[in-house]
Amino acid sequence: MPDYSGKTAVITGAGHGIGRAIATRLAEDGAVIGIIEIDAEQGEETKELLRKAGHRAEVVAADITDAAAVERAVAGFESTLGPIDLLVNNAAFTDAGDIDGIALDDWHKEIDVNLNGTYHCLRAVLPRMKARHSGAVVNISSVNGVRYFGNPAYSAAKAGIINLTQSVASEYGRHGVRCNAVLPGSVRTQNASWEIRVRKDPDVFTKLARWYPMGRVAEPEDIAKAVSFLGSDDAGYITGVALPVDGGLLAGMNVMIDEFILESKD
Ligand SMILES: NC(=O)c1ccc[n+]([C@@H]2O[C@H](COP(=O)([O-])OP(=O)(O)OC[C@H]3O[C@@H](n4cnc5c(N)ncnc54)[C@H](O)[C@@H]3O)[C@@H](O)[C@H]2O)c1
């Protein structure tokens, strides 16, 4: 199990779903936790859950699209919690459908939160890691960053995050800083787009399972385990990778093969 004793991890968007699972996992692995979350109430709830479990955690209510607010949050964590060893860029937003239907404001918002917000956090944290010649970043991208699975603005931003991960890995390796991306497939959370789909069809996660070679969608903890590994010293020579944590979704088109190719051999 990765050992984060004596380390500080900052996670964005840890008030819900995957971010909360990542914060919990890293705390269980020994890290002190800083949370940047736009939803103040949910951020407080995660902090209290961690504290009740005996972990040290602080939260700052901030919007990652506000670069100055992110800088203040990061400076605050460095003085209260200590130097940031790991940044997890997890906060994200999408609720927009297809290229035809997306409103211009929605396009801008999705690029702003998902891509610019991630950059704001990197911009605040990287100079501090560089000065200490030590640190790691894990960016939460998506399988949408490498294939079409709907949500075009979100997907373009998630593709941008993968390229940004490579830029940071290339520029900061010599400064002792690693940067990797995790690409989840479908994860059972209550984010805005899943809420819409579950309202339409309460069985959506069960129905989706057939598209996954491993026969199920992910739980938030599946993603948290991968983040914990990539952010830890166990991954000390790994940088610049985009790791799918997708139950095999990107590996092949299993449904097409099962239904149209293997079947035709019968
Ligand atoms: N759930 C999935 O199926 C899935 C699949 C692939 C990738 N992901 C990625 O995993 C991450 C977490 O997803 P989730 O399903 O837990 O989403 P979620 O919506 O449940 O959680 C996202 C969190 O980010 C916070 N947030 C949103 N905008 C913010 C802003 N401007 N500033 C600060 N915080 C903000 C929200 O309040 C929320 O707590 C995201 O990066 C998402 O793109 C999720």
Side-chain angles (χ1 to χ4, degrees):
M1 197 161 101
D3 182 9
Y4 281 88
S5 310
K7 295 199 170 181
T8 296
V10 167
I11 304 116
T12 65
H16 293 86
I18 296 169
R20 179 176 283 179
I22 293 169
T24 304
R25 173 68 200 227
L26 293 174
E28 286 168 355
D29 291 345
V32 163
I33 304 297
I35 295 165
I36 299 176
E37 171 61 69
I38 197 169
D39 183 337
E41 205 173 303
Q42 285 297 123
E44 282 294 323
E45 193 176 287
T46 301
K47 182 190 84 177
E48 287 308 320
L49 284 171
L50 294 176
R51 286 188 177 181
K52 276 189 192 129
H55 307 299
R56 188 163 170 221
E58 297 290 349
V59 62
V60 170
D63 181 344
I64 58 166
T65 66
D66 179 345
V70 169
E71 169 57 30
R72 280 194 300 277
V74 164
F77 286 141
E78 290 243 328
S79 64
T80 54
L81 301 179
I84 296 167
D85 300 290
L86 171 63
L87 167 67
V88 182
N89 278 309
N90 166 81
F93 174 76
T94 181
D95 70 356
D98 54 16
I99 290 181
D100 239 15
I102 191 166
L104 190 56
D105 283 353
D106 288 336
W107 180 277
H108 286 157
K109 180 177 174 184
E110 296 208 9
I111 299 294
D112 204 22
V113 174
N114 298 313
L115 183 56
N116 297 338
T118 296
Y119 172 65
H120 294 156
C121 297
L122 291 168
R123 195 168 188 268
V125 170
L126 286 174
R128 293 171 161 94
M129 289 182 170
K130 179 179 172 181
R132 294 190 287 269
H133 202 79
S134 168
V137 177
V138 179
N139 294 322
I140 308 300
S141 176
S142 170
V143 293
N144 288 52
V146 290
R147 296 279 188 287
Y148 176 73
F149 291 107
N151 297 67
Y154 167 85
S155 303
K158 291 295 187 182
I161 287 174
I162 294 171
N163 196 276
L164 188 55
T165 299
Q166 293 165 342
S167 297
V168 174
S170 301
E171 291 187 20
Y172 282 77
R174 71 185 72 105
H175 301 302
V177 179
R178 298 182 302 106
C179 184
N180 293 293
V182 167
L183 280 53
S186 305
V187 188
R188 194 191 305 271
T189 68
Q190 294 169 333
N191 71 25
S193 45
W194 283 126
E195 285 286 271
I196 294 166
R197 294 175 197 136
V198 168
R199 263 201 304 277
K200 274 192 206 151
D201 180 356
D203 291 331
V204 63
F205 289 118
T206 312
K207 288 181 180 163
L208 263 174
R210 66 193 278 269
W211 295 90
Y212 285 81
M214 295 196 69
R216 66 175 178 90
V217 302
E219 301 299 330
E221 292 71 23
D222 292 311
I223 313 306
K225 283 183 212 168
V227 171
S228 174
F229 167 66
L230 282 176
S232 76
D233 293 341
D234 292 353
Y237 198 59
I238 301 176
T239 195
V241 307
L243 178 70
V245 182
D246 68 346
L249 182 71
L250 293 177
M253 299 198 147
N254 64 312
V255 173
M256 185 175 84
I257 301 301
D258 286 351
E259 293 187 0
F260 299 105
I261 297 178
L262 293 181
E263 196 181 44
S264 66
K265 286 186 179 167
D266 293 343

